[in-house]
Amino acid sequence: MYHFRSLIMQKVTKEHIEKLTDYLWEIPTSFRKDMLVPARILASEQILDDIIEDRSLNQLVNVATLPGIRKASLVMPDVHEGYGFPIGGVAATSYPDGAISPGGIGYDINCGVRLLTSSLKMKDIKEDLEALGKELYAKIPSGMGKGGQIRVFSEQMDEVLHRGAEWGVKQGYGHKDDLAYIESKGRLAWADPSCVSQMAKNRGTDQLGTIGSGNHFVEVDVVEEIYDNESAKAYGLHKNQIVVMIHTGSRGLGHQVATDYIRIMINAMQKYGIKLPDRELACVPFNSEEGQNYFKAMCAAANYAWCNRQIISWEVRNAWETLFGKEKGQLRLMYDVAHNIAKVEDHVINGKNERVIVHRKGATRAFGPNFEELPDAYIAVGQPVIIPGSMGTCSYVLAGTTKSYDITFGSCCHGAGRRLSRTAAKKQVNAPVLKEQLRERGIFIEAGSFKGIAEEAPIAYKDVNSVVDTVNISGIAKKVAKIKPLVVVKG
DNA sequence: ATGTTC
């Protein structure tokens, strides 16, 4: 495939991009001979100009060569460079023989976000923010490689992998009612613990109920603005309300599953005659033995992540009760979304219903109204989508729309999106100074390391407002509420 | 993201 090589080196520039609408751009298949479908970018012109120098658009083009890819390779406005596939990417492949690729899901399988709502208002906790930060930091284990008190071995681990959040609830870490408010009810039924290596299980033994490091956090926020009264009411959100956001994934266990299967797939690819422009896109047919084993292991790791966020919610609820008492200490689960996962879903392509394997990497599901999985209270307004911004800025709650099915296979962005690498951020940011500046603005950070603060500084991220405006105006999700951080707990 | 660079 030598004649492809020079083409593969060709960088995407603005001249290669066609404008479809003010917020949708396309790199046509004529750009490179190995593209099977066009590559599409959901972005304002400003965001497009900001990412044009990035390697992520070339990664987007590479994804368009994935065997069995349907309709288009897509990126959301929070796109940035990732392992093989860009982060902020969506790729749907045909079921059952299209590709499944661990790089299209990410190392942190079922990294995701959940939001808990409280009955407290800003005035109730104004004086308690620092104490709350210390209490949460004490109750929730955080940091690189950190474990917690809970241990799960052999049969119990298999049950966690099998049952996800349901296992947590059964053990007393939460209410039965929580489950209805989790994407896929916190459990993917295809999970098979026997497809998860012993090494992965060992790494997961003591990491349930822990947040990890990097961009993972537990955050207390106040609802600053409501944009859509009907949806906000359905979700139980109102102005000045205190809420809690949890962002983490499957920790070492999911990372090991990804590592194990990327290695397996790199070796198995030749057998299936798959050639790709970048070995980081390693994939096999979904219905091959390796593909099925990965999918079952990925589902198991996703279940582990849901169980993890369930147990962290229990830890948060304990801290809440300690500070505010039983009556005022209630926290309700608003919703929990995955943003690194693959799902088998039915979508309409060229007017025909098709079953596809939707890879979402740094992208969330954003299904609209009348989706039967949704809890009764949400069915008329659509699935909640939770978009964490950076530490010192703000975050959003959105509602999925029917229009997202047409444009993005029912998907939306997952955050602000990085604009500086971790290394670049560390060079530019003085973490102790930043911590003090945020404190002066009423934001209390409890972090295990200054390194973590520097890497996650607001300057390291795109403007979440313009990212959210893009998805809102293009119609793939609707703005419901803006929330502002008060307390941040990090690794 | 991750017991950080197969």
Side-chain angles (χ1 to χ4, degrees):
Chain A
M1 293 285 145
Y2 258 91
H3 64 284
F4 279 160
R5 189 146 295 170
S6 58
L7 291 166
I8 287 162
M9 300 305 285
Q10 188 185 4
K11 177 114 187 53
V12 177
T13 66
K14 202 120 178 239
E15 290 78 68
H16 302 117
I17 302 177
E18 291 172 13
K19 184 175 181 172
L20 299 185
T21 72
D22 282 351
Y23 291 88
L24 191 62
W25 309 79
E26 180 172 288
I27 305 164
T29 50
S30 56
F31 173 69
R32 230 171 67 186
K33 286 198 168 106
D34 55 347
M35 288 172 76
L36 301 173
V37 292
R40 290 190 185 147
I41 307 145
L42 199 90
S44 62
E45 184 147 24
Q46 176 68 57
I47 290 176
L48 182 67
D49 289 342
D50 289 345
I51 58 173
I52 197 76
E53 287 305 318
D54 208 292
R55 230 173 67 89
S56 58
L57 294 186
N58 275 73
Q59 292 190 321
L60 171 69
V61 169
N62 290 344
V63 175
T65 72
L66 209 62
I69 188 163
R70 302 295 292 128
K71 195 171 167 180
S73 152
L74 291 148
V75 283
M76 307 297 113
D78 54 341
V79 57
H80 56 110
E81 191 180 327
Y83 176 87
F85 293 61
I87 294 164
V90 177
T93 54
S94 56
Y95 176 92
D97 57 348
I100 182 149
S101 174
I105 289 139
Y107 272 94
D108 189 2
I109 295 166
N110 190 5
C111 188
V113 198
R114 79 164 47 186
L115 193 80
L116 307 167
T117 55
S118 83
S119 57
L120 301 179
K121 292 209 160 191
M122 187 61 183
K123 62 174 168 46
D124 301 318
I125 74 157
K126 232 167 37 199
E127 309 303 321
D128 302 318
L129 294 179
E130 198 161 7
L132 185 55
K134 293 207 181 328
E135 180 67 17
L136 288 169
Y137 189 76
K139 285 235 162 81
I140 309 164
S142 64
M144 164 68 79
K146 273 286 179 62
Q149 301 298 311
I150 299 163
R151 298 279 183 283
V152 281
F153 298 103
S154 49
E155 292 87 5
Q156 252 198 335
M157 171 59 87
D158 287 356
E159 233 190 301
V160 169
L161 297 177
H162 221 95
R163 299 178 62 177
E166 202 181 285
W167 182 86
V169 168
K170 200 190 74 175
Q171 298 295 308
Y173 303 114
H175 316 305
K176 209 173 163 206
D177 303 342
D178 291 345
L179 299 176
Y181 296 88
I182 305 174
E183 176 174 333
S184 299
K185 310 236 160 70
R187 179 189 184 198
L188 296 177
W190 302 272
D192 184 347
S194 74
C195 296
V196 176
S197 69
Q198 194 51 52
M199 167 118 64
K201 290 174 183 172
N202 291 346
R203 288 180 68 175
T205 294
D206 66 348
Q207 292 191 325
L208 283 172
T210 69
I211 50 182
S213 68
N215 63 0
H216 290 167
F217 61 76
V218 171
E219 192 173 279
V220 180
D221 294 84
V222 58
V223 177
E224 195 177 54
E225 204 169 340
I226 299 286
Y227 303 98
D228 184 280
N229 282 323
E230 191 200 354
S231 315
K233 200 175 168 212
Y235 297 164
L237 294 170
H238 51 263
K239 203 171 168 176
N240 284 323
Q241 179 184 25
I242 303 299
V243 298
V244 181
M245 185 158 40
I246 298 165
H247 177 199
T248 187
S250 50
R251 309 284 282 102
L253 183 141
H255 191 273
Q256 191 61 46
V257 167
T259 305
D260 291 342
Y261 281 93
I262 286 169
R263 185 183 303 139
I264 288 169
M265 288 193 190
I266 286 173
N267 293 325
M269 257 167 49
Q270 299 94 327
K271 184 164 84 181
Y272 299 107
I274 298 171
K275 287 211 170 66
L276 295 164
D278 179 354
R279 66 184 243 148
E280 292 185 356
L281 301 174
C283 64
V284 293
F286 179 78
N287 59 357
S288 67
E289 191 189 343
E290 296 87 351
Q292 283 298 291
N293 288 347
Y294 169 70
F295 186 63
K296 292 172 190 168
M298 185 218 71
C299 290
N303 289 348
Y304 183 93
W306 272 314
C307 188
N308 187 26
R309 291 197 285 277
Q310 185 62 41
I311 295 175
I312 292 171
S313 306
W314 172 76
E315 292 162 347
V316 171
R317 282 165 164 161
N318 285 342
W320 214 257
E321 237 184 78
T322 304
L323 269 137
F324 306 116
K326 249 198 156 45
E327 197 187 328
K328 286 190 156 182
Q330 298 298 309
L331 291 168
R332 178 188 153 267
L333 176 52
M334 187 205 76
Y335 207 64
D336 177 314
V337 279
H339 59 223
N340 280 7
I341 205 161
K343 294 262 186 78
V344 174
E345 294 171 359
D346 293 326
H347 287 274
V348 178
I349 301 168
N350 300 328
K352 268 176 63 185
N353 200 40
E354 271 191 43
R355 184 153 290 183
V356 283
I357 305 135
V358 184
H359 298 66
R360 296 190 179 93
K361 180 191 197 177
T364 69
R365 194 182 72 178
F367 283 4
N370 302 318
F371 169 48
E372 69 277 9
E373 182 196 285
L374 292 176
D376 292 346
Y378 300 174
I379 203 135
V381 295
Q383 180 212 301
V385 176
I386 309 161
I387 310 290
S390 65
M391 213 158 49
T393 55
C394 64
S395 301
Y396 285 88
V397 176
L398 314 177
T401 65
T402 307
K403 198 172 174 188
S404 72
Y405 302 132
D406 296 333
I407 305 178
T408 55
F409 291 101
S411 317
C412 181
C413 65
H414 83 308
R418 215 166 239 295
R419 58 174 279 273
L420 295 181
S421 69
R422 293 181 186 283
T423 338
K426 265 183 289 189
K427 274 189 200 148
Q428 290 189 26
V429 178
N430 182 330
V433 170
L434 173 65
K435 187 178 174 180
E436 194 46 41
Q437 283 169 343
L438 290 172
R439 194 192 162 98
E440 278 163 20
R441 285 174 40 211
I443 303 169
F444 293 85
I445 316 278
E446 288 292 335
S449 71
F450 280 121
K451 179 173 158 275
I453 296 180
E455 288 177 354
E456 295 304 314
I459 196 180
Y461 283 86
K462 293 186 226 221
D463 174 21
V464 69
N465 301 301
S466 59
V467 168
V468 166
D469 283 345
T470 298
V471 300
N472 186 53
I473 299 170
S474 63
I476 59 166
K478 192 164 70 168
K479 262 159 83 164
V480 176
K482 176 153 100 176
I483 65 180
K484 197 184 81 178
L486 300 170
V487 175
V488 187
V489 173
K490 306 182 54 62

